[in-house]
């Protein structure tokens, strides 16, 4: 493969270095383009632009491949549990039993919130979207847990901060749900594992016994594993960009949560459920919805379909779709929304509009069906995505800060505004 690229501008040839990845991906290094040519590259939405070299997650969009630290996500979903996969991402390799026990004990130890944090929840109207609360309270955590040293420069501080964030994000999420339904906050239990503790804090009541549904616990482990990282997606790039300004890790993660809340990013799982409900309420007629979604430039899109990287089936969607049948067989027999989703998929994948644009179901198309089956309310779906993605965000923040040179991210632009003009005093303006 070439180690250099040649660029010709105004008859002059410029050589640019090429960087190569482990799996054969290559990029033209344009970091000195402007100083050599006075030109910059132009790539709105960064579809063809690599922001970094990363060793965390590998995606092949044409082949539908997703690996965390080299391990296929299918194997992790089948064999791992979320905190083991989180450890793999955060610390670079699968943990030994002793390491996993250390991590699990740290998550249990740090699951409770400082009691003063509870007051934040009462400051929000009960109708506030839980992603707004999650982002706000995570940002506030830096006030309660100031890091003694920069986590990017001290491994022990990084470990403790990663554990604090992973442990507390669940509690904040559950508290935001309890606040929205006017129920008392439920403290985490020391005898429950990660996902079981989350279900306990979400659905327990002080005056009732609550039995953890092992199927729901397994479903959450699988969903969190499948959402744990996805290279340079919008929210992860946000965490990296905010972190590049040396903003603290809590503020960087809070920014990622806000980016993820967008309905064409992590908010799509909620959008899909609302779309399926809308079709169901309208009698299950998918034709009119589908035809509207295929009108060029229509605001109506088939939520849960399409992806910037995957030009084939999102491997995560495949796993979740299979799991839908499993969890429904044990819980509800079926769900009319799953029937509608499968009909939509089957029809869309026969439409020239979707075929020509390589639009397939993505991670969000079926995840809501599983979340609904285990009792998670629709507006909490993006929060589930955030809990899953947290280890990925933390790991990318650290990798960005350790990169050499760890420079502040600052893209350029092509200016298309007015040419130089003079100030006009207000009394003579027309
Ligand atoms: C996530 O980046 C990641 O990795 C994200 C994620 C992660 O794990 O972090 O995978 C999570 O965000 C998944 C995506 C969730 N969003 C949705 O499901 C919302 C619906 N999807 C679309 O909004 C869209 O497909 C995106 C945002 C996902 C991707 O957008 P792109 O890559 O910018 O593609 P595009 O908008 O340029 O679309 C190309 C064409 C356009 O038509 P033409 O201009 O060629 O006529 O495809 C059309 C689009 O109109 N199109 C759709 C469509 N998605 C794209 N048409 C109808 N329905 C859709 N869902």
């Amino acid at each position: 493969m070439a180690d250099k690229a040649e660029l010709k501008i105004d008859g002059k040839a410029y050589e640019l270095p090429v960087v190569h990845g482990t799996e054969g991906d290559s990029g033209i290094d344009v970091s000195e383009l402007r100083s050599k040519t006075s030109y910059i590259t132009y790539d709105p939405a960064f579809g063809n632009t690599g922001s970094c070299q990363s060793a965390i997650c590998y995606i092949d969009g044409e082949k539908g491949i997703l690996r965390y630290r080299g391990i296929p996500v299918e194997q992790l979903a089948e064999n791992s549990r979320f905190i083991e996969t989180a450890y793999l991402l955060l610390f670079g390799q699968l943990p030994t039993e002793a390491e996993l026990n250390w991590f699990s004990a740290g998550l249990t130890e740090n699951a409770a919130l400082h009691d003063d944090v509870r007051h934040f929840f009462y400051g929000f109207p009960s109708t506030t979207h839980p992603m707004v609360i999650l982002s706000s309270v995570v940002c506030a955590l830096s006030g309660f847990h100031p890091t003694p040293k920069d986590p990017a420069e001290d491994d022990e501080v990084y470990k403790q901060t990663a554990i604090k964030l992973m442990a507390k994000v669940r509690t904040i999420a559950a508290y935001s749900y309890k606040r929205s339904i006017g129920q008392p906050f439920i403290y985490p239990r020391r005898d429950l594992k990660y996902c079981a503790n989350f279900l306990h804090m979400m659905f327990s009541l002080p005056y009732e016994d609550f039995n953890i549904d092992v199927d729901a616990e397994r479903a959450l482990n699988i969903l969190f594993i499948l959402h744990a990282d996805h290279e340079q997606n919008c929210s992860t790039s946000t965490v990296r960009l905010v972190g590049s300004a040396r903003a603290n890790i809590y503020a960087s993660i809070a920014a990622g949560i806000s980016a993820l809340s967008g309905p064409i990013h992590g908010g799509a799982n909620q959008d899909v459920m609302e779309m399926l409900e809308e079709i169901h309420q309208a009698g299950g007629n998918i034709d009119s919805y589908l035809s509207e979604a295929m009108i060029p430039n229509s605001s109506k899109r088939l939520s849960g379909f399409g992806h910037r990287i995957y030009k084939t089936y999102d491997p995560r969607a495949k796993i979740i779709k299979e799991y839908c049948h499993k969890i429904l067989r044990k819980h509800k027999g079926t769900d009319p929304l799953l029937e509608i989703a499968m009909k939509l998929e089957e029809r869309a994948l026969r439409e020239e509009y979707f075929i020509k644009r390589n639009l397939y179901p993505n991670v969000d198309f079926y995840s809501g069906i599983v979340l609904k089956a285990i009792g998670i309310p629709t507006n909490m779906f993006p929060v589930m995505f955030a809990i899953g993605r947290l280890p990925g965000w933390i790991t990318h923040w650290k990798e960005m800060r350790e990169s050499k040179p760890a420079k502040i991210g600052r893209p350029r632009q092509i200016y298309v505004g007015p040419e130089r003009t003079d100030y006009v005093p207000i009394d003579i303006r027309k």
Side-chain angles (χ1 to χ4, degrees):
M1 279 201 269
D3 284 329
K4 291 207 179 310
E6 183 175 285
L7 180 64
K8 270 208 178 122
I9 303 176
D10 307 331
K12 191 172 173 216
Y14 299 88
E15 266 202 356
L16 296 168
V18 171
V19 290
H20 297 293
T22 320
E23 293 289 341
D25 41 344
S26 301
I28 299 169
D29 180 345
V30 293
S31 40
E32 296 189 5
L33 181 69
R34 191 166 187 279
S35 58
K36 283 182 178 171
T37 70
S38 83
Y39 282 71
I40 61 170
T41 58
Y42 177 63
D43 183 19
F46 314 123
N48 301 282
T49 296
S51 62
C52 61
Q53 296 186 46
S54 179
I56 301 166
C57 171
Y58 174 67
I59 302 174
D60 181 321
E62 280 65 37
K63 296 182 191 141
I65 291 173
L66 171 58
R67 298 182 197 140
Y68 299 158
R69 302 286 190 186
I71 301 177
V73 76
E74 293 82 356
Q75 292 183 19
L76 291 166
E78 177 74 28
N79 304 298
S80 185
R81 47 190 251 254
F82 177 52
I83 68 156
E84 182 185 61
T85 295
Y87 187 103
L88 167 70
L89 288 167
L90 287 164
F91 306 116
Q93 75 281 331
L94 286 170
T96 61
E97 191 153 359
E99 288 165 335
L100 189 59
N101 292 338
W102 163 80
F103 191 48
S104 178
L107 294 171
T108 301
E109 197 54 42
N110 288 276
L113 297 177
H114 185 294
D115 223 34
D116 290 352
V117 176
R118 289 182 315 131
H119 301 301
F120 282 91
F121 295 90
Y122 298 112
F124 293 102
S126 59
T127 51
T128 306
H129 195 287
M131 283 293 267
V132 172
I133 298 174
L134 186 66
S135 179
S136 313
V137 180
V138 163
C139 195
L141 287 183
S142 64
F144 291 87
H145 306 285
T147 51
K149 286 186 186 154
D150 186 332
E153 291 158 13
D154 182 296
D155 269 353
E156 196 46 40
V157 173
Y158 170 68
K159 285 177 187 169
Q160 291 312 319
T161 309
I163 285 175
K164 279 193 177 69
L165 268 163
M166 287 282 300
K168 296 179 189 306
V169 74
R170 272 178 304 180
T171 314
I172 296 167
Y175 281 21
S176 66
Y177 171 59
K178 285 299 198 185
R179 169 82 182 100
S180 72
I181 56 173
Q183 284 187 3
F185 296 142
I186 299 295
Y187 280 70
R189 277 172 40 182
R190 304 181 67 80
D191 62 325
L192 293 177
K193 296 216 173 303
Y194 194 88
C195 291
N197 225 340
F198 174 70
L199 292 167
H200 155 68
M201 290 189 277
M202 280 285 287
F203 301 122
S204 284
L205 286 166
Y207 38 81
E208 262 176 30
D209 284 342
F210 176 73
N211 300 314
I212 300 290
D213 175 336
V214 287
D215 290 323
E217 184 184 4
R218 182 68 195 132
L220 273 187
N221 270 292
I222 291 174
L223 285 176
F224 288 158
I225 287 171
L226 294 175
H227 286 79
D229 194 45
H230 216 239
E231 57 137 280
Q232 305 308 318
N233 59 83
C234 175
S235 53
T236 300
S237 298
T238 301
V239 170
R240 290 179 82 115
L241 190 61
V242 172
S244 75
R246 300 287 188 277
N248 73 66
I249 191 166
Y250 294 101
S252 306
I253 299 295
I257 295 168
S258 296
L260 187 74
S261 69
I264 63 170
H265 189 14
N269 51 20
Q270 176 175 349
D271 220 41
V272 169
M273 283 313 272
E274 288 164 1
M275 170 184 76
L276 296 175
E277 287 285 1
E278 183 188 330
I279 295 170
H280 182 48
Q281 296 307 325
N285 170 8
I286 63 168
D287 294 327
S288 61
Y289 199 96
L290 211 47
S291 7
E292 270 196 80
M294 293 189 284
I295 297 168
N297 305 320
S298 147
S299 59
K300 207 158 214 150
R301 283 195 154 178
L302 187 54
S303 205
F305 251 70
H307 199 277
R308 173 67 56 79
I309 309 287
Y310 291 121
K311 298 311 165 195
T312 182
Y313 220 101
D314 182 332
R316 302 167 296 178
K318 223 177 264 176
I319 297 168
I320 298 172
K321 182 180 176 183
E322 282 154 27
Y323 205 74
C324 283
H325 297 294
K326 220 172 179 179
I327 193 92
L328 286 173
R329 257 199 306 277
K330 297 202 84 173
H331 270 250
K332 303 216 166 134
T334 184
D335 178 343
L337 301 187
L338 175 60
E339 309 301 320
I340 292 172
M342 288 168 61
K343 263 168 56 185
L344 261 177
E345 175 195 343
E346 194 267 330
R347 271 292 313 283
L349 295 183
R350 283 193 282 118
E351 289 289 344
E352 182 53 25
Y353 174 92
F354 288 90
I355 296 167
K356 191 171 83 172
R357 294 168 176 82
N358 292 312
L359 302 175
Y360 290 84
N362 59 50
V363 66
D364 294 305
F365 193 63
Y366 286 106
S367 54
I369 305 282
V370 177
L371 290 169
K372 179 175 171 245
I374 61 176
I376 306 287
T378 305
N379 70 346
M380 287 288 288
F381 289 3
V383 172
M384 298 295 104
F385 196 143
I387 295 174
R389 184 53 51 88
L390 182 59
W393 284 333
I394 297 169
T395 310
H396 278 275
W397 184 91
K398 179 92 167 352
E399 184 182 70
M400 173 278 305
R401 287 292 313 278
E402 288 178 332
S403 60
K404 299 282 177 276
K407 297 176 78 167
I408 189 167
R410 204 272 186 221
R412 302 301 299 260
Q413 64 167 24
I414 300 294
Y415 175 70
V416 292
E419 292 178 16
R420 187 193 180 291
T421 180
D422 292 322
Y423 178 80
V424 177
I426 192 161
D427 51 0
I428 57 169
R429 281 176 212 157
K430 296 183 181 54

